[in-house]
Amino acid sequence: MMTYSALLDFERSRLSAAAQAALSMAPRTLVTAINPRSPGGPHDFSSEADYWWPDPANPDGPYIQRDGMTNPDNFTAHRELMLDFATHVGHLAGAWQCTGEGRFAERAVAHMRAWFCDPATRMNPHLEYAQAIGGVCTGRGIGLIDTVHLAEVALALELLRHDKAMCATDDEMITRWFSDYLQWFRTHPYGIDESNTDNNHSVCWTLQAAAFARATRNQAVLEECRQRFTQVLLPGQMALDGSFPRELGRTKPYGYSIFNLDVMSALALVISSEEFDALNFRLPDGRSVIRGIEFLAPYLADKGQWPYSHDVMYWTEWPIRQPALLFGALSARRADWLSLWGKLPTDPTVFEVRRNYPVRNPGLWLGRSLNVWN
């Protein structure tokens, strides 16, 4: 089975090439794009709901929903900027992790400084104007999923604290940003609403809360996330066979099932400790993240065997190098999952696929996990 050093060797070429390209990318934050339909200011993140469209019968009235069908006219610039930011930081931090070259750490910190520290370019630590709906609302709780990519940035922060590129002032300011955002995330009505959903949104909420808590050394919130995982998410969302019924009921059941499994397995890694192995935690009836991988892995190996409806969009773009396969392979000692993970394509270019692929650099997630390497 793969060792930690072998994983870094495997990832070195890919990450070094991506990080080399990222070295030439100047930091670009929210202030470079303004949503004219949002009441927020230039430092406030804004997005519009994917599946909501003008009503043909009432063009000037409230938008109507078309589940699974993305409206291409919605404002997506802030999502794109955040995704690019998280991708660059992840690649740069991952390359530093693999090579030890300080230039990669320096550039990653420069991007973080622009997003979290510089008063002229920073993002305000809230998400009040995310996934707005024309004629209905200027923001909503479901929008908190838009920052799921910051979970990997938070893990990069933990890693980069070990390099001289991250000075004490930078560390303090970036950590304060995540602490402020975590406070808003947990107490604002939007955050409370999102945490109580019964599908992938609540899993994404918990992943973010756990990653931000770990980066800010908030053990109380991290323990809350462990309890939520064992008492709410796993028993509330997974069927006995390892599937996610709420995701299978969507118009993109394949992509949503993959996404939820990836996020749940990533959450399990973040909340694991010497005393608690969340990847191998099982409910009394046997449900676990590993069972979820057992259910989905055959369809990742051969999508033609998928017994449910095909996704209405992006059916051909999945699967890619899904992190759940790697995390599960290392934890359950499944060489077949590891082999499949290594063969699947990585670094997708289609925006919608990138947006639903928040774990791009598994070394950042596995670096502190004691359980999968024992």
Side-chain angles (χ1 to χ4, degrees), residues 1 290 293 324-335 337-338:
M1 190 53 63
I290 299 300
I293 302 170
L325 284 171
L326 174 63
F327 300 160
L330 296 174
S331 184
R333 303 298 187 262
R334 289 287 298 262
W337 294 350
L338 182 62

Side-chain angles (χ1 to χ4, degrees), residues 254 303 313-320 322 345 348 350 352-353:
Y254 188 65
K303 185 166 59 176
M313 295 182 74
Y314 307 106
W315 166 253
T316 60
E317 282 78 8
W318 299 103
I320 52 178
Q322 309 304 155
V350 176
E352 185 65 14
V353 179

Side-chain angles (χ1 to χ4, degrees), residues 187-210:
T187 59
H188 191 277
Y190 287 173
I192 295 170
D193 287 346
E194 184 77 338
S195 70
N196 290 326
T197 58
D198 59 358
N199 63 0
N200 65 81
H201 279 264
S202 56
V203 183
C204 288
W205 184 95
T206 311
L207 172 62
Q208 292 182 75

Side-chain angles (χ1 to χ4, degrees), residues 47-49 52-53 62-64 130-140:
S47 67
E48 294 174 331
W52 291 78
W53 299 66
Y63 278 24
I64 59 174
Q131 294 217 19
I133 301 174
V136 177
C137 63
T138 59
R140 54 195 181 129

Side-chain angles (χ1 to χ4, degrees), residues 148-268:
V148 69
H149 299 280
L150 292 184
E152 192 162 277
V153 175
L155 299 189
L157 169 62
E158 285 191 283
L159 179 71
L160 293 169
R161 285 175 175 146
H162 300 286
D163 187 84
K164 62 182 181 181
M166 178 73 71
C167 70
T169 299
D170 288 335
D171 187 2
E172 180 181 358
M173 294 182 70
I174 297 169
T175 300
R176 171 52 56 187
W177 191 96
F178 275 110
S179 181
D180 290 345
Y181 185 45
L182 178 60
Q183 173 68 13
W184 181 90
F185 199 82
R186 296 178 61 248
T187 59
H188 191 277
Y190 287 173
I192 295 170
D193 287 346
E194 184 77 338
S195 70
N196 290 326
T197 58
D198 59 358
N199 63 0
N200 65 81
H201 279 264
S202 56
V203 183
C204 288
W205 184 95
T206 311
L207 172 62
Q208 292 182 75
F212 304 157
R214 210 172 83 169
T216 59
R217 305 177 181 91
N218 191 327
Q219 294 301 320
V221 172
L222 199 56
E223 181 58 32
E224 288 178 10
C225 292
R226 293 188 183 106
Q227 294 179 15
R228 181 177 290 272
F229 171 80
T230 58
Q231 299 174 19
V232 179
L233 300 179
L234 194 58
Q237 296 197 29
M238 183 178 286
L240 288 175
D241 65 356
S243 66
F244 297 114
R246 283 299 305 273
E247 311 308 330
L248 291 176
R250 301 292 298 275
T251 58
K252 294 190 285 191
Y254 188 65
Y256 274 119
S257 293
I258 292 171
F259 176 64
N260 204 35
L261 183 62
D262 280 347
V263 174
M264 189 171 284
S265 64
L267 168 61

Side-chain angles (χ1 to χ4, degrees), residues 295-308:
F295 170 82
L296 197 57
Y299 307 124
L300 298 177
D302 183 3
K303 185 166 59 176
Q305 300 302 312
W306 179 248
Y308 304 95

